[in-house]
Amino acid sequence: MPSINIIIAQSNGNNWFYAALVLFIIYFGLVLFCLLDALRATFKDSVTKLIWVAVILFFSFFGSVIYLAVGRKNKLI
């Protein structure tokens, strides 16, 4: 019976690793999506594009969320 407890204990540690890995992939995907969208977009002027790229890079998660909420509405195309 002790071997079953060891297997259960080891599998719980792996679940945290996989959950953290999935969250990291979602985080990285969100930042990458917002960065590529901002770089491809046409804004009123190039300074606006530069500001959004800087916001996304320096405040990665919150900058991406702010860009999705506000920045995408400011695009011309």
Side-chain angles (χ1 to χ4, degrees):
M1 281 299 196
S3 62
I4 293 174
N5 291 336
I6 292 172
I7 293 171
I8 292 172
Q10 288 176 348
S11 68
N12 288 339
N14 290 337
N15 291 339
W16 285 107
F17 172 76
Y18 292 130
L21 184 64
V22 168
L23 288 176
F24 177 76
I25 291 171
I26 291 171
Y27 165 77
F28 185 73
L30 173 70
V31 173
L32 187 64
F33 170 76
C34 290
L35 187 60
L36 290 176
D37 189 57
L39 288 172
R40 291 180 188 166
T42 304
F43 291 96
K44 295 177 185 176
D45 56 0
S46 59
V47 175
T48 306
K49 180 184 281 194
L50 180 65
I51 290 171
W52 278 117
V53 169
V55 166
I56 294 169
L57 287 176
F58 290 120
F59 306 105
S60 54
F61 179 73
F62 294 113
S64 298
V65 171
I66 292 169
Y67 174 75
L68 289 175
V70 178
R72 289 181 60 126
K73 296 176 184 174
N74 293 334
K75 295 189 315 184
L76 294 177
I77 297 176

